[in-house]
Amino acid sequence: MSVARIPPHHDPACWGCGDNPTGLHLPLPEVEGLEEYEAYVHFDERHQAGPGLVHGGFVAAALDEACGLLATWYRFPAVSARIFVRYRHPVPINTELLVRSELESARGRRIRVRARLTDGGEALAQARAAFLHVPLEHFLATPEGPAAGNAWLRRLGSE
């Protein structure tokens, strides 16, 4: 019996890359196995901390998402194991920013990625993250997991 191959993806409700109305809507990588990822990101008043500045938690989440998208498309599926964020400068709202992640190494189940959030030239924040490659059953164990798995099986059956 052959098992259907499920391609790398994130849940449509994902705050970082899904259709979540308050999310960042980062684009998904185009192909598997990439070792670099970059996308433009825009924070607005919903992401504000001090006047005109992005809350540090949202900055960390954007860096984590850029690292996670790269890790997931490098070896599907992968989950965050740890992330270290260095805030270098205040991050302004209502500004187009570039988030870029790069594969540092992959060994066994562990994938190491680094990322930067820039305003075109200057690094506003940086991250180093470790991800773990996990079996799909990791997600199927959640209450929402079986429904997501069945949706993918239906999608694969229609192709």
Side-chain angles (χ1 to χ4, degrees):
M1 177 177 147
S2 69
V3 176
R5 184 184 169 285
I6 297 179
H9 66 283
H10 266 194
D11 190 276
C14 177
W15 181 84
C17 66
D19 297 329
N20 189 315
T22 63
L24 291 179
H25 308 119
L26 292 181
L28 300 177
E30 294 178 12
V31 297
E32 290 182 60
L34 293 178
E35 296 187 9
E36 296 180 346
Y37 170 84
E38 67 179 28
Y40 288 97
V41 63
H42 181 91
F43 296 100
D44 61 32
E45 289 77 11
R46 297 172 297 170
H47 309 110
Q48 186 168 253
L53 301 176
V54 179
H55 188 284
F58 287 118
V59 171
L63 290 165
D64 179 55
E65 185 66 17
C67 289
L69 285 169
L70 180 62
T72 296
W73 263 254
Y74 183 77
R75 187 173 301 143
F76 178 74
V79 295
S80 301
R82 70 173 177 229
I83 185 168
F84 299 99
V85 176
R86 180 174 181 203
Y87 300 94
R88 300 182 60 87
H89 298 283
V91 178
I93 62 169
N94 300 320
T95 302
E96 186 175 67
L97 304 169
L98 179 67
V99 63
R100 187 174 200 292
S101 57
E102 301 171 356
L103 181 73
E104 281 190 332
S105 66
R107 184 175 168 190
R109 294 179 54 215
R110 188 169 296 272
I111 304 164
R112 295 182 189 276
V113 180
R114 65 177 169 232
R116 289 180 307 161
L117 180 67
T118 66
D119 62 358
E122 190 168 26
L124 303 175
Q126 298 169 302
R128 292 188 68 172
F131 290 80
L132 289 178
H133 172 63
V134 297
L136 279 173
E137 289 75 20
H138 174 85
F139 298 102
L140 297 176
T142 68
E144 298 80 10
N150 288 332
W152 268 101
L153 288 176
R154 283 192 303 277
R155 180 176 171 185
L156 291 172
S158 67
E159 291 178 353

